[in-house]
Amino acid sequence: MSGLFGRDFLDVADFEAAELRRVLDLAHQIKAGTWSGRPLAGRHIAMLFQRPSHRTRVSFEVGISRLGGATTTLGEQDVQLGVRETVGDAARVLDRYVDGIVARLRTHADLTELADAAEKPVINALTDRSHPCQVLADLVTLEEVGGPLTAQKVVYVGDGNNIATSLIEASARLDFPLTVITPAGYAPDEAVVARARSLSRDGDRVTITSDLSDLDGATAIYTDVWTSMGQESERQSRRKIFAEYQVNPALMAGAPKAVFMHCLPAHRGEEVTDEVIDGPRSVVLQQAGNRLYAQMALMSELFGKGT
Ligand code: CP
Ligand code: NVA
């Protein structure tokens, strides 16, 4: 039985480098067709969504099915966490039915409460704080397009949001350089950065700046929406504040060797232009596709009976 069986995956930093490596290696094998186990046979996974989702919901459902398992997907109006019943009560009830929980909750605090109350393993399918499953798929993509992570330099441009947090933790754990460029006042949470710096094995790999000229040596330019789910009332003001941080052909010209990355969905014309997201350097669909393999690998380890 693997050392990851039964564990939660709430953040990238929850796993040591070797544990992340194990998941990434299995994801590559699944994609290559050299591993085709069904460790979820006879197992049932609950998925809870308090936010909309396309990629996450479909890739988890397909992945669970391919691994031999079954799933029940519950939307905002079903369980009504914290409204019809407390997060803890819902977790303890789900424990009686299912073998694992995948949850996209509005707040990270609710997710940790859910995971603390549930004995079954819980996977974070996005919170306001982090999106670790997305970044697992992004790491698979970076390795496919650029080889070893330590030979790459990722530059994230935009809002210091949940994607930025998970990238920062990945950089610290897997020891690749990451520059996060945000407008003043929108930098990632200082506690996230401080923790990543304390985890980093080989010193400080993360640079936080507002300087858009800091693209030297970038092998990937990554952006995400300026207005995340739950921040819709700020969209107009954010459009103005973030305007110069748009990833367009002029910005990409400053990083001639970089691929373009985005977790999707994109707000075209805001954080990225059509020329870039539809252009030859864009790997956004590869990222979306890799959600399936990364999450199959993760679930095999956490929910399965070992690989
Ligand atoms: N990237 C991502 O998580 O997409 P969805 O919100 O559509 O699941
Ligand atoms: N930062 C975005 C990611 C969506 C996948 C959001 O939280 O809405």
Side-chain angles (χ1 to χ4, degrees):
M1 196 172 283
S2 97
L4 290 173
F5 179 73
R7 294 257 299 272
D8 295 330
F9 183 63
L10 306 189
D11 277 307
V12 172
D14 289 353
F15 286 7
E16 303 282 341
E19 294 169 338
L20 291 169
R21 187 68 263 155
R22 184 182 168 102
V23 173
L24 296 176
D25 286 347
L26 182 58
H28 286 295
Q29 284 180 53
I30 295 171
K31 186 167 181 180
T34 55
W35 183 93
S36 55
R38 290 172 67 82
L40 296 194
R43 303 204 156 208
H44 202 109
I45 308 303
M47 303 223 297
L48 298 178
F49 284 91
Q50 284 187 322
R51 296 272 190 219
S53 174
H54 171 196
R55 281 145 289 272
T56 304
R57 176 174 174 174
V58 178
S59 58
F60 267 108
E61 286 186 354
V62 172
I64 290 164
S65 168
R66 287 197 191 173
L67 293 171
T71 182
T72 297
T73 301
L74 298 155
E76 170 83 306
Q77 291 309 311
D78 296 315
V79 178
Q80 296 183 34
L81 279 179
V83 179
R84 275 188 88 229
E85 57 192 310
T86 66
V87 172
D89 284 346
R92 287 182 284 271
V93 169
L94 282 173
D95 260 349
R96 266 72 188 169
Y97 304 139
V98 302
D99 303 290
I101 302 170
V102 175
R104 169 170 286 193
L105 303 189
R106 274 189 290 274
T107 71
H108 204 77
D110 275 357
L111 182 76
T112 53
E113 193 179 336
L114 180 85
D116 286 346
E119 288 180 10
K120 300 290 165 53
V122 174
I123 291 177
N124 177 5
L126 178 145
T127 65
D128 55 341
R129 178 185 192 277
S130 57
H131 197 2
C133 291
Q134 176 66 49
V135 166
L136 279 185
D138 298 337
L139 296 171
V140 171
T141 309
L142 283 164
E143 290 184 334
E144 285 177 337
V145 298
L149 293 168
T150 48
Q152 304 197 36
K153 178 181 173 187
V154 179
V155 177
Y156 175 92
V157 181
D159 186 24
N161 62 12
N162 43 12
I163 295 287
T165 293
S166 293
L167 283 172
I168 288 167
E169 293 187 356
S171 152
R173 281 296 194 206
L174 295 173
D175 194 31
F176 63 88
L178 172 72
T179 298
V180 176
I181 307 178
T182 74
Y186 292 85
D189 190 63
E190 280 177 17
V192 167
V193 179
R195 176 153 183 257
R197 290 193 167 135
S198 75
L199 291 174
S200 183
R201 280 177 306 166
D202 286 338
D204 187 3
R205 298 301 242 163
V206 180
T207 304
I208 309 289
T209 178
S210 291
D211 182 359
L212 277 163
S213 65
D214 205 354
L215 305 180
D216 273 358
T219 56
I221 302 287
Y222 196 135
T223 193
D224 183 20
V225 292
W226 295 336
T227 307
S228 284
M229 291 181 275
Q231 299 172 330
E232 289 78 5
S233 65
E234 299 173 32
R235 189 160 178 181
Q236 290 310 327
S237 60
R238 282 172 173 261
R239 272 185 179 151
K240 292 196 187 93
I241 292 162
F242 282 80
E244 67 175 303
Y245 291 79
Q246 182 185 68
V247 178
N248 51 33
L251 186 140
M252 290 299 288
K257 295 197 173 139
V259 295
F260 171 73
M261 301 181 77
H262 192 307
C263 58
L264 304 179
H267 293 158
R268 288 167 177 256
E270 292 191 17
E271 76 275 4
V272 62
T273 62
D274 288 343
E275 301 98 302
V276 171
I277 197 168
D278 297 329
R281 290 204 262 159
S282 174
V283 296
V284 301
L285 295 176
Q286 197 170 330
Q287 290 174 261
N290 284 334
R291 294 292 301 275
L292 177 62
Y293 308 109
Q295 290 157 193
M296 285 176 73
L298 182 68
M299 289 190 290
S300 296
E301 295 286 353
L302 268 54
F303 298 160
K305 294 171 181 160
T307 53

